[in-house]
Amino acid sequence: MTYENILVERKENLAVITLNRPQALNALNRALMAELDAAIEALAADGDIGAAILTGAGERAFAAGADITEFNSMPSASEAARFSLLGQAVLDKIERLPKPVIAAINGFALGGGCELAMACDVRLAADTVLLGQPEINLGIIPGYGGTQRLTRLVGKGMAKLLCLSGDQITAEEALRIGLVDKVVPAADLLAEAETLATKLASKAPVAVAAIKQAINVGADGTLADGLAFEAAQFGLVFDTEDRVEGVNAFLEKRRPTWQGK
Ligand code: COA
């Protein structure tokens, strides 16, 4: 598939997806979201890809939100709700992808841009970026999971403060409250993301997928359900050839070679 609003690049066993509408600060229009959806599907099906990086084209933005120019063409509440559900489904797909996805936040991550970053597994931010949920300033609310994922990441009070004020916060503040996981000099962002993605892609794939899924399940439900899920996944992972290889490699003092099964 050829894309017009994103770039998809392969670097060995990594995929780098770049949101590519820099003239609109990478605003997430419908066409971009459809392409992102297709790219994530393709990643899921590609056994050679071990991890992905999501970033924005240009120096100014990761993504400055949903494309506001499309808002006036949503005439009814039900159509707007459908827009929200469609976007949520793309972000859910990223969150559920059985491979790590790193958000390399290179500039503004506002509204849908912040929500997209939150659906990724790890958030690296350039020290120059600003993040926030400014929808309130348009008289609307976050619709791509912002009220939910932000609360899970930073807690109820801070999520309310950000969504109700619409304020933009710095990378350092985002790090302090747990909205991003690491802040790096802007010039080093992509290299750092690649180093991390390479490391995560070098791990046993079945275990990587199980860890991601177990943490997601636990974060979204009760401790008891999470623990039950963890035990079931522990059993499944224990039954893999990679577990035999990993344990034997340790005992034989050599590096393991993973088969992904
Ligand atoms: N949707 C559509 N276009 C957007 C956009 C968005 N979310 N965010 C920025 N753009 C466009 C601008 O309209 C402008 O286009 P133009 O050059 O054709 O006029 C271009 O991107 C550059 O943005 P501009 O506003 O001129 O840059 P700035 O440096 O003055 O301000 C922001 C940067 C991010 C503070 C400002 O663009 C902004 O507030 N964007 C909207 C953020 C938002 O509310 N997101 C949530 C949407 S639900």
Side-chain angles (χ1 to χ4, degrees):
M1 174 166 178
T2 53
Y3 301 112
E4 288 174 6
N5 299 282
I6 61 173
L7 300 170
V8 181
E9 226 184 314
R10 289 181 65 137
K11 291 190 176 176
E12 301 191 356
N13 61 346
L14 306 183
V16 181
I17 301 179
T18 305
L19 309 169
N20 192 26
R21 302 185 67 221
Q23 72 288 0
L25 300 185
N26 302 322
L28 309 170
N29 64 5
R30 288 171 193 266
L32 184 151
M33 292 300 281
E35 290 180 12
L36 187 56
D37 188 56
I40 299 299
E41 291 278 353
L43 280 190
D46 189 336
D48 293 336
I49 295 292
I53 296 169
L54 183 60
T55 192
E59 285 171 7
R60 295 209 61 214
F62 175 74
D67 192 320
I68 300 170
T69 64
E70 293 184 338
F71 281 5
N72 283 342
S73 61
M74 279 188 284
S76 66
S78 62
E79 190 151 339
R82 205 176 104 76
F83 171 90
S84 169
L85 288 171
L86 282 172
Q88 288 179 3
V90 179
L91 272 57
D92 280 352
K93 220 173 258 186
I94 293 173
E95 195 165 60
R96 293 200 192 122
L97 188 75
K99 314 175 188 206
V101 182
I102 296 165
I105 307 172
N106 56 307
F108 286 117
L110 301 175
C114 189
E115 291 167 311
L116 185 53
M118 288 192 287
C120 296
D121 299 303
V122 181
R123 279 155 294 285
L124 301 188
D127 54 0
T128 48
V129 310
L130 294 169
L131 306 95
Q133 296 291 158
E135 292 87 348
I136 188 72
N137 297 329
L138 301 172
I140 60 171
I141 74 168
Y144 286 176
T147 61
Q148 304 305 306
R149 288 199 178 89
L150 187 59
T151 307
R152 282 161 173 75
L153 280 175
V154 305
K156 218 162 127 179
M158 193 56 82
K160 285 180 181 171
L161 184 57
L162 286 171
C163 291
L164 292 172
S165 68
D167 286 348
Q168 297 174 11
I169 59 169
T170 62
E172 280 305 330
E173 175 67 355
L175 180 67
R176 192 187 68 76
I177 66 175
L179 175 53
V180 301
D181 304 302
K182 194 173 176 188
V183 176
V184 301
D188 301 342
L189 179 69
L190 279 182
E192 288 259 358
E194 235 178 272
T195 301
L196 178 60
T198 302
K199 179 191 271 188
L200 302 189
S202 75
K203 309 289 184 188
V206 179
V208 165
I211 286 171
K212 177 167 168 174
Q213 209 185 346
I215 291 176
N216 284 344
V217 166
D220 291 346
T222 65
L223 179 64
D225 288 347
L227 289 172
F229 189 83
E230 181 187 79
Q233 290 295 310
F234 186 82
L236 289 174
V237 171
F238 225 77
D239 217 15
T240 59
E241 290 176 24
D242 281 348
R243 186 271 302 170
V244 177
E245 167 67 5
V247 172
N248 286 343
F250 176 80
L251 296 174
E252 292 160 15
K253 300 190 188 305
R254 61 175 173 82
R255 290 174 79 89
T257 306
W258 307 121
Q259 302 295 327
K261 56 186 179 172

